[in-house]
Structures are given as structure tokens and as C-alpha cells.
Amino acid sequence: MRKLLILVIIFCSFQKIQSQEVYLQTGKNFTNYDYKSNSSNTSVLQAGTGDFYEIGYVMTLKNEKLKYAFGLNLNEYNAIAGNTVSSYSWNTQYLGVQNSFSVSLVKKRGFEASANGGFGISTLIYGKQVINGEYFDLSSQKEFSGFWITNKLGISASYNIDNDIYLSLGYAYSKSFNLSNNTDEKLSFNNNQIQFGVHFTFK
């Protein structure tokens, strides 16, 4: 992972930067937990909803259609399950960094549509499991704690509302894996994300 980050930095340093921007994003996560264990079959729980927040910096590279973004984000990955006897819920918050590249597909009269993809690294900062009203801390559970890597693909559209201000709407699908969990219990997050953003450009 460190080598990949170094390659990204080297790549960007050889590009002629055309313009730059800072952005703020928020929206909703719709998350499925994908659980695997040697002692049981794969279990996919019901999707839960949560919020996400991201602040970041974007560089437009030598090719004006290509952009690189680096952001700091907070994601809530939640899930629910239950039956006639018991109810369960999982509420988690992960703090991380996101790296992504986007390619402009359409750009006309202040409107721009783009496709994007990237990866991120995050770690658990808050986690609670609720079983029939009783709370349990997830920070000591190896399948939730440690370092996670997230692969993300998405699309977005933005519109210029002022000279240097854009509003955006986007969708992204991501899958997160735990890099540090070496137990038999494996957990991953499949997440659909709706994004709303405001972007401030400058030269």
C-alpha cells in the first residue's frame, strides 16, 4: 500500500496542474455486511443506512479531463438483523483517507459528468452491537477493528452555480476488506453511497 501511494505522488508530480479545488461531501451509505466463517455458511445481513462526510483536495492534471483527489472521510457502516425472538443491529464509524482519479465524460455550459475510481484506508473509531437492547463494544473484535482497504467505483455530475462554485450529485459502489484480521471470522462491507457535494475551484 505504501508503494502504491508513492507511485500516485510521483505520477502527480510529473503532471502540469491546470486548476485546483477543495470540496465538501455528505450523503447516505446503504451497507450490507458480508460475513464468512469456517464454522458456518456465508451470512449476508439486511442493509443498514448511515451517513458519510468527506473533505478533500482535487488537482486537474495535464490532461484537463483527468483529475486526482485526496480526501479525509468519516463513514457509518450499519446493518440490522432479527427474527420473532431476537433483534440485532450494528453501528460503526470508520475514519479514513480516500485517493481517487476521475475522467470527464461530458463537459458543456457549466455541466460536467464524470466517472471515477479509487481506493482508501480506514480504521474503526466507534462501534456498537445491540442485541435485544443490550450494547456490546466492537472495538476489541478483530473482524471490525484494525485497518481496512476500500475499492470504490462511481459516477458524478456537477453544475457551476457561480464562477468558482460547483454543486455535485454522485453515486458510488465500494467494497471494504479488513487487512489485519487473521481470524477464521471474515467480514467485508458492500456499500452503495449517494453523494452531495459543494466544490470551490481556484488557480
Side-chain angles (χ1 to χ4, degrees):
M1 185 57 61
R2 183 180 299 175
K3 292 181 180 179
L4 185 56
L5 287 173
I6 292 173
L7 287 175
V8 169
I9 293 171
I10 292 173
F11 174 80
C12 292
S13 67
F14 282 102
Q15 303 299 311
K16 182 180 179 181
I17 298 173
Q18 302 293 327
S19 63
Q20 303 167 73
E21 69 180 62
V22 293
Y23 67 90
L24 299 169
Q25 279 188 329
T26 187
K28 279 292 183 180
N29 289 329
F30 302 88
T31 309
N32 277 313
Y33 284 17
D34 192 352
Y35 174 77
K36 296 180 180 180
S37 173
N38 289 342
S39 59
S40 65
N41 296 325
T42 300
S43 177
V44 179
L45 308 175
Q46 295 183 44
T49 62
D51 297 324
F52 96 93
Y53 308 92
E54 183 168 316
I55 182 172
Y57 171 76
V58 180
M59 296 182 294
T60 301
L61 304 178
K62 184 177 181 180
N63 181 342
E64 292 187 0
K65 292 186 176 182
L66 181 64
K67 295 180 180 180
Y68 166 73
F70 176 83
L72 176 68
N73 57 36
L74 177 68
N75 280 285
E76 295 180 347
Y77 297 134
N78 304 324
I80 57 174
N83 51 44
T84 57
V85 177
S86 300
S87 63
Y88 308 84
S89 67
W90 292 261
N91 298 282
T92 65
Q93 295 181 355
Y94 285 82
L95 182 66
V97 294
Q98 179 72 32
N99 297 270
S100 62
F101 286 93
S102 64
V103 178
S104 179
L105 303 176
V106 178
K107 190 172 185 180
K108 188 175 182 180
R109 296 181 181 178
F111 172 84
E112 184 174 8
S114 304
N116 57 76
F119 68 94
I121 300 176
S122 61
T123 189
L124 180 73
I125 61 170
Y126 172 87
K128 287 290 185 292
Q129 180 182 20
V130 184
I131 303 176
N132 296 330
E134 187 174 0
Y135 287 78
F136 300 90
D137 187 11
L138 294 175
S139 61
S140 60
Q141 302 299 314
K142 290 188 176 181
E143 63 268 33
F144 284 90
S145 60
F147 291 97
W148 290 69
I149 185 168
T150 300
N151 300 311
K152 181 183 285 189
L153 292 173
I155 55 175
S156 65
S158 64
Y159 185 74
N160 182 218
I161 62 170
D162 196 10
N163 289 335
D164 301 317
I165 303 175
Y166 290 77
L167 296 181
S168 68
L169 173 66
Y171 164 79
Y173 174 79
S174 65
K175 191 171 183 69
S176 301
F177 303 90
N178 193 325
L179 294 177
S180 51
N181 179 21
N182 55 8
T183 69
D184 291 337
E185 296 179 329
K186 303 298 182 183
L187 179 67
S188 61
F189 301 145
N190 303 307
N191 189 57
N192 293 279
Q193 187 177 82
I194 304 298
Q195 308 163 340
F196 304 93
V198 56
H199 307 250
F200 305 91
T201 64
F202 56 93
K203 298 293 183 180

